[in-house]
Amino acid sequence: SNNLSYEKGTNKLKSSVKSNVLFIARYSDLLEKGGRMFIILDNSVLNSYTHKDYRDFIRNNFIIKAVFQLPTHTFVNQEAGGITSVLYLEKRESIEQEQSPIFARVINNVGHGTSGKEENLDDFEDILKEYKKYESTGKLFLKGMKEIDSFENDDLFLISPESINDRFDVFFHQPTYHKLLDAL
């Protein structure tokens, strides 16, 4: 069943359903096949064991185009904290549709600092250039200019489709983390 808000095989509501997960299910209903959306999710949806069924729902219903890791202070001016990411998703044409490599980007600057005071720095223009260049060439270009290898930089890299069976948070897939794991 596509309904994420009920216990499997029952009409009993789950004890805790994150509201952003309900939005994913609703948007899945509203989007036509091939339709795209951006959604901000709490990272626990992307990485915790208790939310595996939500990740399965996302993988089964969408192609994950990109994951953007937001800094913890992104929503400080809204008096909200926590680790969040932006997912760029495309509704699957079919379950057989192949998941492509996922564009992964850490966003460090969002136009304000940790106190919420405005700063003249934000990464969004560079990220837009980087993504557009990736979409047109299949290659990564840091700040949209310098071509890099997909396992060269912890702020901009590709996540292989085979490695998202469990988690798809950016920090878990950073190249230096996996180099360290391999070395251990």
Side-chain angles (χ1 to χ4, degrees):
S1 154
N2 274 0
N3 199 327
L4 291 174
S5 48
Y6 294 94
E7 297 289 349
K8 279 193 171 80
T10 75
N11 61 358
K12 182 179 171 230
L13 279 171
K14 286 184 180 176
S15 56
S16 83
V17 179
K18 291 192 170 285
S19 60
N20 50 23
V21 170
L22 294 175
F23 283 113
I24 292 173
R26 183 66 183 131
Y27 295 150
S28 178
D29 292 340
L30 294 173
L31 279 175
E32 293 187 14
K33 290 178 178 187
R36 295 175 175 192
M37 74 167 170
F38 285 92
I39 188 165
I40 297 171
L41 292 173
D42 180 286
N43 265 28
S44 69
V45 174
L46 306 183
N47 63 26
S48 76
Y49 176 76
T50 54
H51 295 109
K52 185 182 180 325
D53 52 341
Y54 303 141
R55 290 191 298 283
D56 291 343
F57 180 87
I58 292 169
R59 274 192 302 271
N60 291 333
N61 291 280
F62 297 95
I63 297 295
I64 304 165
K65 307 289 280 180
V67 183
F68 304 93
Q69 174 68 53
L70 294 169
T72 54
H73 65 273
T74 300
F75 299 106
V76 70
N77 290 328
Q78 288 74 33
E79 296 180 5
I83 302 173
T84 55
S85 293
V86 178
L87 256 60
Y88 178 32
L89 304 171
E90 179 182 296
K91 187 167 179 179
R92 283 182 174 278
E93 301 281 342
S94 71
I95 194 70
E96 293 81 29
Q97 187 180 358
E98 206 170 297
Q99 170 68 58
S100 51
I102 299 155
F103 182 92
R105 182 61 155 93
V106 175
I107 300 172
N108 294 304
N109 302 298
V110 291
H112 60 265
T114 54
S115 67
K117 186 173 175 277
E118 197 171 312
E119 289 178 349
N120 243 357
L121 281 174
D122 82 53
D123 295 336
F124 297 111
E125 196 174 313
D126 286 338
I127 290 167
L128 184 60
K129 281 184 211 163
E130 290 166 356
Y131 188 79
K132 283 183 171 183
K133 199 100 171 190
Y134 170 70
E135 210 169 41
S136 66
T137 67
K139 296 178 184 332
L140 295 177
F141 289 84
L142 193 58
K143 299 192 183 292
M145 298 178 291
K146 178 190 179 286
E147 185 177 349
I148 63 169
D149 181 65
S150 61
F151 297 101
E152 183 180 326
N153 188 298
D154 276 347
D155 281 351
L156 173 62
F157 58 94
L158 296 178
I159 301 172
S160 74
E162 302 79 42
S163 68
I164 61 158
N165 288 334
D166 187 30
R167 298 170 57 161
F168 37 88
D169 52 313
V170 171
F171 289 149
F172 177 76
H173 291 280
Q174 284 180 313
T176 53
Y177 175 69
H178 284 279
K179 283 178 190 160
L180 179 64
L181 282 182
D182 291 345
L184 292 174

